[in-house]
Amino acid sequence: MHNEIDSKWWSIVCQKLHSDLGESIANSWISPLSFDRFENDVIYIVAPSMFVRDWIQNNYAEKILYRCKKENSSIKSIEFVIRDDEKNEKTQLNEIPKENEHESNDETNDIGIPLDPKLTFDNFIVGKPNELAYAAALRVAEADQVAFNPLFLYGAVGLGKTHLMNAIAWRIKSRNPKRTIAYLSAEKFMYQFVKAVRYKDTMAFKEQFRSVDVLMIDDIQFICGKDSTQEEFFHTFNTLVDNKHQVIVSADKSPSDLEGMEERLKSRLGWGLVADIHPTTYELRLGILQSKAATASVTIPNRVLEFIAHKVTSNVRELEGALNRIIASAVFVGREITVDSAREVLADLLRTSERKVTIDEIQKKVANHYAIKLSDMTSARRLRQVALPRQVAMYLAKKLTTLSLPEIGKNFGGRDHTTVIHAVKKVQNEMQTNESLAEDIRLLLQVLEKAD
């Protein structure tokens, strides 16, 4: 343990974070941070801009605090501050941190992210929940001419959107290696645009993106509320579509439900084919497990696969993770694979999967209970008849889900974690003196915990 907390100590923490998060993310978000001071059990870390501070708080604060505590247990909390001389700095996009000066031109010009060789059409298991999305993706990948533009895939986390995006890119490349494909996340698209603005190189950025044969953007919801990035994507989108170049987009919601997205962009995203991926059925989960088990190094009884398919229902990623844990237990510990051993190995996962309530369910049930609009859950309205139900929903989200405070805040109109903390404490306090509110909470808990 390091007894002193200084810049040298912070550099050690940063090295661990690079290992935890990966070089790409750490170079973009951790390297620009610097140690400020340690007072009253609180460590203060300096961010170069409001944008970076907010992004760090919403996405990496818990990971950074965990790593800091591992290096020095006297740390109780962390605060991200902005340098005084930069607080009033205005940029077109509240710009993201500067990259290392030694960055190579190759890295600067790399507009895509590597494709995963494991994510192809050949190993994508098709069932009723994803058959439309699969058929549409295959049609786009094998079409010599643009069939519909854009292809918009949407669904919850871990249901196969990224798998289909990779599969499309691989199939296009195999059919015509000369076609240029730009596949990247919406975050990286914004990152590249901000960098172009900073270095006054927007023309090169425009030429780069508007000259590709296929543009694929994953998690487009990331640019909701980012006006300048939306403006650039809007013009890039129009140019590509007008030139009959394919655009493929994925998101966690349909175009019409993307809060913070300009109406004209919502309209264009819905121009082509919108295909949703529904939550998995038992049959689809079992099929996925059987496919994975067929290539495993150990034999897995079908009754164990059936057990996992029944119990792990959240998404495909957790399903595959559960199977990997069972395989690892057999390979590394020599444990026999049975339903009982599987239940023990997956005990923690099964506890959270018995009834996993989603934010969407909570918001819908609370809005219905209080007779308000669902959109009020994410709106800026502060009237008590709207604010109290919103706070109740945040309280229930904290109680019934495993989401972090920043993640909960994101689902309530992009609010920060302090707003969620305030809501939870307020509801807890009011329940002690307000019997009507306490009864509302009891009823909502019953409805949510028993829902199928």
Side-chain angles (χ1 to χ4, degrees):
M1 177 183 296
H2 300 271
N3 294 321
E4 295 184 3
I5 296 182
D6 53 20
S7 57
K8 184 178 179 181
W9 172 88
W10 173 246
S11 69
I12 295 173
V13 172
C14 287
Q15 290 175 9
K16 299 294 180 76
L17 288 169
H18 272 68
S19 176
D20 294 341
L21 301 173
E23 289 300 316
S24 178
I25 291 175
N27 285 336
S28 297
W29 303 108
I30 304 302
S31 295
L33 304 179
S34 59
F35 172 79
D36 183 34
R37 64 190 188 280
F38 179 59
E39 293 178 356
N40 301 322
D41 300 329
V42 179
I43 185 171
Y44 292 85
I45 302 299
V46 176
S49 69
M50 289 179 62
F51 179 87
V52 177
R53 182 200 63 189
D54 294 345
W55 180 254
I56 290 291
Q57 284 178 338
N58 290 333
N59 293 274
Y60 303 117
E62 292 183 5
K63 173 66 75 174
I64 295 173
L65 179 58
Y66 168 79
R67 183 50 70 185
C68 287
K69 285 183 174 180
K70 288 282 285 185
E71 296 301 315
N72 192 312
S73 60
S74 63
I75 295 172
K76 303 302 181 188
S77 62
I78 189 169
E79 291 289 337
F80 297 96
V81 297
I82 305 170
R83 293 190 184 93
D84 291 337
D85 60 348
E86 293 180 353
K87 285 183 180 178
N88 297 320
E89 184 183 69
K90 301 294 182 181
T91 66
Q92 185 175 354
L93 293 173
N94 287 329
E95 62 186 14
I96 57 180
K98 291 184 179 180
E99 297 170 282
N100 296 333
E101 292 180 0
H102 62 267
E103 183 184 65
S104 70
N105 289 332
D106 288 342
E107 289 173 323
T108 305
N109 293 328
D110 179 16
I111 65 171
I113 55 179
L115 297 174
D116 188 332
K118 299 189 295 293
L119 304 182
T120 66
F121 283 119
D122 293 337
N123 55 27
F124 186 86
I125 307 303
V126 184
K128 284 192 176 297
N130 59 28
E131 59 185 2
L132 173 61
Y134 172 83
L138 189 60
R139 173 74 182 279
V140 166
E142 297 189 337
D144 293 323
Q145 296 181 337
V146 175
F148 26 74
N149 219 1
L151 170 61
F152 190 102
L153 304 172
Y154 78 93
V157 172
L159 295 183
K161 300 187 300 295
T162 298
H163 191 144
L164 284 178
M165 296 280 275
N166 275 262
I168 292 171
W170 283 121
R171 184 61 60 89
I172 291 174
K173 280 178 171 290
S174 68
R175 295 185 76 249
N176 187 351
K178 292 183 178 179
R179 293 186 74 184
T180 56
I181 301 173
Y183 170 53
L184 67 164
S185 65
E187 177 185 0
K188 185 156 188 179
F189 179 86
M190 189 197 73
Y191 183 92
Q192 295 288 350
F193 176 51
V194 173
K195 185 167 60 176
V197 172
R198 176 183 296 118
Y199 295 118
K200 298 179 174 57
D201 198 20
T202 55
M203 286 307 298
F205 173 89
K206 295 176 190 294
E207 291 173 6
Q208 194 171 39
F209 278 99
R210 298 181 192 185
S211 63
V212 298
D213 296 310
V214 183
L215 175 63
M216 308 178 73
I217 303 289
D218 221 346
D219 292 324
I220 196 68
Q221 71 272 4
F222 178 82
I223 67 172
C224 288
K226 311 292 193 304
D227 294 341
S228 297
T229 304
Q230 286 188 43
E231 178 79 15
E232 179 56 34
F233 178 72
F234 175 81
H235 293 301
T236 298
F237 177 96
N238 284 342
T239 300
L240 290 170
V241 171
D242 288 346
N243 292 327
K244 301 191 184 309
H245 292 185
Q246 184 71 59
V247 178
I248 305 166
V249 176
S250 79
D252 60 352
K253 298 176 182 176
S254 69
S256 59
D257 291 331
L258 290 172
E259 296 288 340
M261 188 73 77
E262 293 179 9
E263 288 301 322
R264 61 177 183 171
L265 194 46
K266 284 185 183 181
S267 174
R268 280 159 174 75
L269 289 173
W271 268 359
L273 177 63
V274 177
D276 60 336
I277 304 178
H278 298 283
T280 57
T281 60
Y282 167 75
E283 291 77 13
L284 179 57
R285 292 194 296 273
L286 183 58
I288 292 169
L289 289 170
Q290 289 172 337
S291 174
K292 298 292 181 183
T295 60
S297 57
V298 294
T299 301
I300 305 172
N302 205 55
R303 59 182 178 275
V304 173
L305 300 179
E306 292 171 353
F307 170 76
I308 302 172
H310 272 300
K311 293 295 185 179
V312 183
T313 61
S314 52
N315 60 58
V316 176
R317 290 176 192 168
E318 284 201 357
L319 194 69
E320 294 179 348
L323 183 63
N324 289 336
R325 285 165 66 170
I326 289 172
I327 293 172
S329 175
V331 173
F332 300 139
V333 184
R335 196 170 192 179
E336 183 184 2
I337 299 178
T338 65
V339 171
D340 288 339
S341 67
R343 184 179 284 110
E344 290 181 25
V345 171
L346 303 177
D348 60 323
L349 182 60
L350 297 181
R351 280 196 298 271
T352 60
S353 295
E354 288 298 329
R355 171 62 188 140
K356 187 164 283 188
V357 183
T358 66
I359 288 279
D360 286 343
E361 287 178 287
I362 293 170
Q363 291 178 338
K364 287 175 184 176
K365 296 296 184 185
V366 173
N368 183 60
H369 181 82
Y370 285 101
I372 64 173
K373 295 178 181 178
L374 181 59
S375 59
D376 286 331
M377 287 292 164
T378 55
S379 74
R381 298 181 64 196
R382 296 186 178 182
L383 296 174
R384 179 171 172 77
Q385 59 262 41
V386 170
L388 179 60
R390 188 189 299 131
Q391 290 170 334
V392 167
M394 289 183 188
Y395 167 81
L396 292 171
K398 178 67 172 67
K399 187 177 181 67
L400 298 176
T401 76
T402 57
L403 297 177
S404 66
L405 295 175
E407 287 172 328
I408 293 173
K410 272 187 184 178
N411 283 276
F412 285 86
R415 289 171 166 83
D416 62 29
H417 69 289
T418 57
T419 302
V420 180
I421 293 172
H422 171 74
V424 171
K425 288 182 178 178
K426 183 173 181 180
V427 171
Q428 288 174 334
N429 292 336
E430 282 203 29
M431 284 173 64
Q432 296 176 10
T433 57
N434 187 335
E435 182 56 35
S436 176
L437 176 62
E439 181 62 21
D440 284 344
I441 299 294
R442 281 195 291 270
L443 288 172
L444 285 165
L445 283 170
Q446 289 178 5
V447 170
L448 288 163
E449 290 176 337
K450 291 180 180 179
D452 291 325

